[in-house]
Amino acid sequence: MANLSLLLLSVLALSISLVFAADPSALQDFCVADPKGQVFVNGFACKNSKLVEANDFFFSGLHIAGNTTNLVGSKVTPVFATQLPGLNTLGISIARIDYAPWGLNPPHTHPRATKVLTLLDGTLEVGFVTSNPENRHFRKVLQKGDVFVFPVGLIHYQRNVGYGSAVAIAALSSQNPGVVIVANAVFGSNPKIDGNVLVKAFQLDNTTISYLESKF
Ligand SMILES: *[C@@H]1O[C@H](CO)[C@@H](O)[C@H](O)[C@H]1NC(C)=O
Ligand SMILES: *[C@@H]1O[C@H](CO)[C@@H](O)[C@H](O)[C@H]1NC(C)=O
């Protein structure tokens, strides 16, 4: 009987796999980013907590519209750990995004964050594409007050399809979400990716690839 219980216990123990889907719990109240930290850690080192002050948890300026006079007609104003050191290790951040009429936040991905977008004003077409092999495109037109979620890592975009300007607030599930803009990463890398790689990957000729590289 004792042997049977032991066996059952072992089977139970083996069948329970431990899955941690979130960051480990914090071990202290905060770890305000110390950008001058000399230690290499995953993120920013902590500022001496005795020197931490209210301003370390504060950012001012999201009432100011970003300058959308650029080639794509949109501007992201980030409030990540770099701008708001108190966000360090907390796994959350925010950004303001402004869009000129027909302005585009071009296809990009955040390698470390899911993004929840709330449209404060205007009309926005949004979409994301799932991973291989489906590459399914989810698309929606948002009106003022609408909320849309872009799952972590997936390529997504927003385009202003209204008559005036548009503004949105993005909440991100990392203090340092990172951003990979597809066109810039592929055609504007430094140093460049060998032209023949891009010719074959995109099934385009050398001249077209050179042209695209000149744009990014
Ligand atoms: C917006 O950016 C453009 C292009 O860089 C610049 O010419 C213009 O002066 C800027 N506008 C403001 C209000 O800063
Ligand atoms: C295209 O070919 C020219 C001439 O061989 C070369 O100089 C250029 O780097 C090539 N461009 C790309 C993108 O491979």
Side-chain angles (χ1 to χ4, degrees):
M1 190 61 198
N3 276 348
L4 187 65
S5 308
L6 208 66
L7 184 72
L8 282 173
L9 210 67
S10 318
V11 170
L12 195 69
L14 284 172
S15 63
I16 298 172
S17 62
L18 290 174
V19 178
F20 295 105
D23 286 343
S25 300
L27 302 174
Q28 51 199 15
D29 284 351
F30 52 75
C31 167
V32 170
D34 177 7
K36 298 192 196 80
Q38 297 296 304
V39 192
F40 293 100
V41 292
N42 185 13
F44 291 109
C46 308
K47 182 177 175 178
N48 180 346
S49 60
K50 293 194 175 64
L51 303 177
V52 168
E53 48 189 55
N55 274 342
D56 287 320
F57 303 98
F58 173 79
F59 174 92
S60 177
L62 276 201
H63 60 299
I64 300 166
N67 184 344
T68 57
T69 309
N70 53 53
L71 288 174
V72 289
S74 77
K75 183 71 179 178
V76 177
T77 306
V79 187
F80 303 158
T82 308
Q83 291 81 25
L84 204 176
L87 287 175
N88 194 37
T89 73
L90 298 182
I92 193 168
S93 62
I94 197 168
R96 171 182 174 134
I97 314 174
D98 288 277
Y99 311 83
W102 294 106
L104 174 73
N105 189 7
H108 66 278
T109 159
H110 303 289
R112 293 177 289 277
T114 288
K115 172 158 88 186
V116 179
L117 190 89
T118 304
L119 185 59
L120 299 184
D121 206 8
T123 305
L124 214 54
E125 172 193 5
V126 301
F128 69 83
V129 179
T130 69
S131 53
N132 273 347
E134 292 83 7
N135 294 134
R136 189 164 167 207
H137 180 197
F138 291 92
R139 180 190 165 275
K140 183 92 182 153
V141 174
L142 307 184
Q143 306 295 344
K144 181 176 178 169
D146 290 350
V147 178
F148 196 81
V149 60
F150 304 93
V152 58
L154 301 185
I155 291 176
H156 59 282
Y157 64 89
Q158 302 105 35
R159 177 167 64 159
N160 183 356
V161 291
Y163 291 104
S165 57
V167 57
I169 291 287
L172 298 119
S173 63
S174 167
Q175 66 271 11
N176 181 22
V179 58
V180 177
I181 302 173
V182 177
N184 300 39
V186 173
F187 298 111
S189 69
N190 180 24
K192 283 179 183 173
I193 297 173
D194 186 282
N196 291 322
V197 170
L198 300 179
V199 163
K200 194 166 275 185
F202 288 88
Q203 299 285 298
L204 293 169
D205 57 40
N206 169 299
T207 318
T208 311
I209 294 294
S210 293
Y211 173 74
L212 285 168
E213 284 179 343
S214 74
K215 287 281 175 187
F216 298 99

